[in-house]
């Protein structure tokens, strides 16, 4: 299929979304190398859809796309390195500096062994080619070099250019841009489009979605789509008015919003390819999964977290406030404190992670297209989230520990949380596991609002099924509780406290028990008269266990609790993987 001078050849491509919704009507087109092409049409006509079909972000349902003569779907791993793509949303993190943004992208995308000097050379080159090395007009000379500025301090136009700069680092031969000029003011547009024009002259084919008629002055060719994904025009900008027999581009827009007029001008493909696969999936290699990628991803993520000092401060303030409140409200270490400690650990984990994937979805998707490995991505998140959770749990447990050790309580002189190190370790494990729940929500839903709506719904069962608010009294409720960290956390933490006393032949009720439960609880098939924190949980009603309604204390040891939490974590990890994997073929 190699044809000289062609960058892209699309043959009979058609796009159907789910429920047979039309994305694109069949169309064919050739795009010459080194040309600068504008893609126009009324809102919702399928411009972004076409762009995604051509670059593999969301492949066509039927038909074939060839990039430099290679089938996009069959040779995606080869072809993708030639493709630069900036979707409508920014694909850069706002918290990083411009230099770090480009540096990490280079580390993640460029081949192993690319030297730092080479990376710096490329960064300077792309900044220059996008005219980003010049100072803004309003800038005084002593103002920061753009490389040192944080992305969030940039103007919309500069941010867009940094997104493009990220793509240019790998020197792609084709660059797809979705509405890059929308956030720009007219003056910036001129310098921006001139720099693109130069790029095209130097050898990069550029396909740019735009709404602005004045952008046509800079491009070599225009592709115009009418409503419902019909191709109605492809040719030089000078011919467009004649073709539609109108006097301004605005009129073309209004005409092409009318389906009847569109159907008259629709350019159906002459060549069609039978396609057998109506659910195309791109072949991706696993070649780029490596420890190196994990290292740079985790490092970047940590950098993002530490740069956002306001948020970091709030994260660490949380355990201080909650720990302080618990200390204030409870005068002694009782079951309520134990329960709230576990629920706080769960809360920290879920709330730390719930926004972390959904908040950077455009970035994730773009990097996934390029070379990101899903497991590497999840692990990089977990490493940093674990660190944060550890800090929070440490602060929280320290407050609780010291508060209840030093406060004299006349009835229970020895009351305090113990043993400290095990408590921290156990709570950390719970919090880490809760991070996986948050990450799952973050990977499953498509926007942050939805995630934030669902977070409380996932937390409620943790609270309700822990056996503290109420007794578990039916098999169904009990089985549901097996799927919550609330249950395993509270049970395990209580067992840990009790274990401390049992090991030392101390009388637990003299130290920890505000209310003694005369029924005792089940242990190794016998009713035990001992009393401890564990027994105060409404998890093992002796009568219900006798009647066979409840399973009760299934495992009866600390390790079983840890294994249960571990299993829940593994399930969550798999769910995260599945949700992320599903995003590939949306
Ligand atoms: P635009 O020309 O404004 O970029 P799009 O290509 O984004 O238009 O969308 C074209 C049509 O396809 C719209 O009606 C849109 O609602 C629909 N569409 C886009 N993406 C999806 C999707 N992932 N699933 C279902 N429908 C979609
Ligand atoms: Mg669009």
């Amino acid at each position: 299929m190699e044809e000289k001078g062609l960058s892209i050849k699309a043959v009979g491509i058609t796009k159907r979304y789910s429920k047979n919704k039309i994305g694109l009507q069949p169309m064919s087109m050739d795009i010459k190398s080194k040309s600068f092409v504008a893609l126009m049409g009324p809102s919702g006509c399928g411009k972004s859809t076409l762009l995604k079909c051509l670059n593999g972000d969301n492949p066509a349902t039927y038909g074939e796309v060839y990039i430099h003569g290679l089938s996009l779907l069959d040779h995606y791993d080869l072809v993708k390195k030639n493709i630069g793509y900036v979707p409508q949303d920014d694909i850069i993190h706002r918290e990083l500096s411009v230099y770090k943004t480009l540096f990490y992208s280079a580390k993640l995308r460029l081949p192993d062994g690319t030297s730092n000097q080479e990376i710096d050379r490329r960064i300077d080159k792309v900044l220059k080619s996008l005219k980003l090395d010049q100072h803004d007009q309003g800038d005084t000379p002593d103002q920061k070099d753009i490389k040192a500025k944080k992305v969030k301090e940039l103007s919309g136009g500069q941010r867009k250019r940094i997104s493009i700069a990220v793509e240019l680092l790998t020197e792609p031969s084709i660059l797809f841009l979705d509405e890059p000029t929308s956030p720009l003011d007219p003056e910036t547009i001129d310098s921006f489009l001139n720099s693109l024009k130069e790029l095209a002259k130097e050898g990069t084919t550029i396909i740019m979605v735009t709404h602005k008629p004045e952008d046509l002055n800079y491009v070599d060719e225009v592709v115009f789509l009418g409503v419902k994904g019909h191709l109605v025009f492809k040719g030089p900008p000078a011919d467009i008015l004649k073709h539609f027999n109108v006097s301004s581009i605005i009129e073309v827009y209004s005409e092409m919003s009318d389906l009847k007029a569109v159907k008259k001008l629709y350019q159906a493909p002459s060549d069609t390819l039978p396609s057998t696969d109506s659910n195309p999936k791109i072949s991706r290699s696993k070649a780029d999964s490596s420890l190196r990628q994990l290292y740079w991803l985790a490092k970047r993520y940590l950098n993002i977290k530490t740069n956002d000092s306001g948020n970091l401060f709030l994260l660490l303030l949380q355990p201080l406030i909650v720990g302080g409140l618990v200390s204030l409200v409870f005068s002694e270490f009782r079951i309520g404190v134990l329960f709230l400690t576990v629920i706080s650990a769960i809360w920290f984990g879920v709330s730390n992670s719930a926004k972390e994937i959904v908040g950077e979805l455009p970035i994730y998707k773009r990097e996934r297209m390029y070379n990101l490995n899903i497991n590497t991505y999840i692990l990089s998140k977990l490493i940093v989230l674990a660190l944060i959770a550890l800090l929070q749990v440490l602060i929280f447990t320290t407050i609780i520990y010291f508060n209840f050790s030093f406060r004299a309580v006349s009835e229970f002189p020895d009351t305090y949380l113990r043993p400290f190190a095990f408590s921290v370790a156990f709570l950390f494990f719970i919090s880490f596991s809760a991070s996986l729940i948050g990450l799952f929500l973050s990977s499953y839903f498509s926007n942050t609002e939805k995630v934030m709506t669902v977070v409380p719904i996932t937390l409620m069962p943790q609270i309700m099924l822990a056996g503290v608010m109420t007794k578990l009294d039916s098999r169904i409720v009990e089985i549901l509780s097996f799927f919550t960290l609330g249950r395993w956390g509270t049970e395990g933490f209580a067992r840990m406290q009790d274990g401390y006393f049992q090991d030392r032949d101390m009388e637990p009720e003299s130290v920890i028990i505000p209310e003694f439960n005369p029924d005792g609880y089940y242990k190794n098939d016998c009713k035990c008269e001992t009393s401890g924190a564990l027994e105060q949980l409404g998890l093992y009603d002796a009568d219900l266990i006798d009647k066979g309604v409840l399973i009760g204390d299934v495992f009866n040891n600390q390790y079983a609790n840890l294994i249960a939490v571990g299993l829940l974590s593994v399930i969550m990890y798999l769910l995260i993987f599945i949700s992320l994997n599903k995003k590939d073929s949306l």
Side-chain angles (χ1 to χ4, degrees):
M1 270 288 175
E2 172 76 271
E3 275 174 57
K4 266 229 151 79
L6 282 191
S7 274
I8 305 176
K9 185 174 184 64
V11 186
I13 53 170
T14 307
K15 182 71 189 176
R16 290 276 154 79
Y17 285 114
S18 53
K19 297 184 197 132
N20 231 7
K21 193 161 184 268
I22 292 168
L24 291 179
Q25 300 289 354
M27 65 176 72
S28 294
M29 71 175 66
D30 293 344
I31 290 179
K32 286 205 266 317
S33 288
K34 306 183 190 186
S35 56
F36 186 5
V37 181
L39 182 50
M40 301 184 92
S43 263
C45 68
K47 301 180 295 295
S48 301
T49 303
L50 176 56
L51 214 58
K52 290 175 187 176
C53 287
L54 296 179
N55 67 22
D57 184 6
N58 194 348
T61 319
Y62 303 103
E64 278 278 11
V65 173
Y66 300 91
I67 303 282
H68 302 303
L70 288 174
S71 158
L72 177 73
L73 294 187
D74 297 343
H75 300 281
Y76 189 67
D77 276 316
L78 278 174
V79 165
K80 71 184 180 188
K81 309 259 167 169
N82 285 302
I83 292 177
Y85 171 39
V86 181
Q88 221 158 327
D89 304 300
D90 281 330
I91 47 164
I92 46 181
H93 293 99
R94 301 174 67 91
E95 298 81 6
L96 293 176
S97 71
V98 168
Y99 177 76
K100 284 281 181 193
T101 302
L102 293 166
F103 178 77
Y104 287 128
S105 296
K107 283 286 182 195
L108 289 169
R109 293 192 190 190
L110 291 175
D112 232 342
T114 310
S115 69
N116 283 358
Q117 288 97 310
E118 169 65 10
I119 288 174
D120 282 345
R121 190 189 66 77
R122 288 199 186 210
I123 290 176
D124 288 335
K125 189 177 155 204
V126 297
L127 290 179
K128 189 152 178 270
S129 70
L130 290 167
K131 303 204 167 66
L132 278 162
D133 55 340
Q134 297 154 1
H135 286 289
D136 280 353
Q137 282 171 335
D139 276 5
T140 50
D142 62 344
Q143 238 171 349
K144 276 194 274 185
D145 182 25
I146 187 153
K147 283 199 272 188
K149 281 194 184 168
K150 281 193 184 170
V151 169
K152 66 177 170 206
E153 297 166 358
L154 301 179
S155 67
Q158 285 175 320
R159 241 192 341 263
K160 194 46 103 185
R161 277 194 256 188
I162 298 297
S163 286
I164 298 174
V166 165
E167 295 297 316
L168 290 181
L169 282 173
T170 53
E171 301 180 341
S173 61
I174 309 176
L175 187 59
F176 294 91
L177 306 173
D178 203 341
E179 298 195 27
T181 54
S182 293
L184 309 189
D185 57 75
E187 201 176 84
T188 327
I189 287 185
D190 180 61
S191 90
F192 175 71
L193 289 178
N194 274 321
S195 54
L196 289 186
K197 210 172 155 177
E198 263 167 52
L199 263 179
K201 233 185 255 161
E202 283 161 22
T204 315
T205 309
I206 302 176
I207 301 163
M208 169 182 85
V209 175
T210 177
H211 274 301
K212 308 207 162 164
E214 60 271 26
D215 291 1
L216 294 186
N217 299 329
Y218 301 83
V219 302
D220 305 315
E221 252 197 325
V222 188
V223 172
F224 209 102
L225 297 185
V227 282
K228 296 215 181 291
H230 293 82
L231 174 66
V232 289
F233 175 79
K234 180 172 179 296
D239 294 355
I240 192 163
L241 297 182
K242 201 168 71 200
H243 180 83
F244 290 97
N245 199 16
V246 291
S247 55
S248 79
I249 293 283
I250 311 293
E251 288 176 61
V252 183
Y253 267 94
S254 61
E255 198 171 319
M256 287 308 103
S257 305
D258 171 28
L259 191 58
K260 255 197 207 144
V262 166
K263 285 210 160 135
K264 259 187 242 159
L265 287 167
Y266 169 48
Q267 304 184 350
S270 50
D271 43 358
T272 48
L273 277 184
S275 181
T276 46
D277 190 0
S278 63
N279 187 15
K281 223 177 158 177
I282 263 170
S283 63
R284 289 172 215 263
S285 74
K286 307 262 176 291
D288 281 313
S289 77
S290 66
L291 277 176
R292 189 177 152 264
Q293 196 176 50
L294 177 60
Y295 174 79
W296 288 111
L297 274 177
K299 191 156 177 183
R300 179 176 73 179
Y301 185 35
L302 188 65
N303 205 177
I304 290 167
K305 285 280 149 198
T306 49
N307 269 7
D308 191 358
S309 50
N311 191 45
L312 197 65
F313 175 73
L314 283 179
L315 284 179
L316 299 181
L317 194 64
Q318 263 188 61
L320 270 176
I321 294 178
V322 184
L325 264 177
V326 171
S327 306
L328 198 68
V329 172
F330 289 85
S331 57
E332 60 217 10
F333 185 67
R334 49 199 300 173
I335 200 75
V337 177
L338 190 149
F339 169 63
L340 284 175
T341 304
V342 171
I343 294 300
S344 304
I346 296 174
W347 167 250
F348 296 149
V350 174
S351 68
N352 291 347
S353 56
K355 290 184 192 160
E356 299 307 288
I357 295 177
V358 74
E360 60 172 24
L361 211 52
I363 305 173
Y364 164 76
K365 281 190 176 171
R366 177 61 192 118
E367 296 187 339
R368 173 75 188 132
M369 269 179 81
Y370 197 81
N371 65 358
L372 187 64
N373 180 277
I374 294 182
N375 285 312
T376 314
Y377 178 71
I378 304 175
L379 287 176
S380 76
K381 291 273 172 242
L382 287 177
I383 291 172
V384 176
L385 288 171
L387 248 150
I388 296 174
L390 184 61
L391 276 178
Q392 289 176 320
V393 164
L394 202 61
I395 296 175
F396 190 82
T397 317
T398 306
I399 295 175
I400 300 285
Y401 183 87
F402 283 104
N403 175 60
F404 291 102
S405 325
F406 293 129
R407 190 183 299 179
V409 179
S410 57
E411 275 170 275
F412 313 110
D414 287 337
T415 304
Y416 56 84
L417 182 69
R418 33 184 158 179
F420 182 74
F422 285 113
S423 298
V424 171
F426 183 77
L427 291 170
F428 166 65
F429 190 31
I430 296 288
S431 197
F432 175 76
S433 186
S435 302
L436 281 152
I437 297 181
L439 273 189
F440 166 62
L441 300 179
S442 201
S443 65
Y444 184 80
F445 292 99
S446 54
N447 67 56
T448 311
E449 287 83 59
K450 279 187 200 152
V451 175
M452 289 338 252
T453 313
V454 179
V455 163
I457 303 172
T458 43
L459 284 171
M460 284 312 280
Q462 318 288 341
I463 296 173
M464 292 191 292
L465 298 171
V468 174
M469 309 296 283
T470 156
K471 271 187 179 178
L472 301 191
D473 58 2
S474 83
R475 177 61 64 83
I476 292 206
V477 173
E478 188 184 37
I479 287 175
L480 279 179
S481 80
F482 292 151
F483 293 95
T484 66
L485 289 175
R487 183 205 165 114
W488 297 118
T490 314
E491 183 182 330
F493 198 42
R495 178 171 279 126
M496 182 178 271
Q497 305 309 313
D498 292 351
Y500 184 86
F501 300 109
Q502 278 155 20
D503 290 349
R504 283 163 188 73
D505 280 335
M506 290 163 80
E507 277 296 308
E509 63 263 46
S510 70
V511 225
I512 196 171
I513 307 303
E515 306 132 30
F516 179 66
N517 174 1
D519 285 345
Y521 74 109
Y522 267 71
K523 186 176 178 183
N524 301 335
D525 294 321
C526 80
K527 250 188 198 174
C528 298
E529 291 301 319
T530 55
S531 172
L534 193 56
E535 184 180 345
Q536 290 178 52
L537 300 175
L539 295 173
Y540 334 105
D541 183 300
D543 286 340
L544 293 175
I545 293 172
D546 275 342
K547 287 185 198 139
V549 178
L550 290 188
I551 303 168
D553 194 358
V554 208
F555 308 111
N556 192 25
N557 76 57
Q558 194 77 53
Y559 295 111
N561 270 283
L562 295 177
I563 290 170
V565 176
L567 279 177
L568 285 180
S569 308
V570 172
I571 293 173
M572 280 300 147
Y573 186 96
L574 291 176
L575 290 175
I576 298 169
F577 186 90
I578 292 168
S579 327
L580 286 178
N581 205 36
K582 264 179 73 179
K583 291 193 192 294
D584 279 356
S585 53
L586 272 184

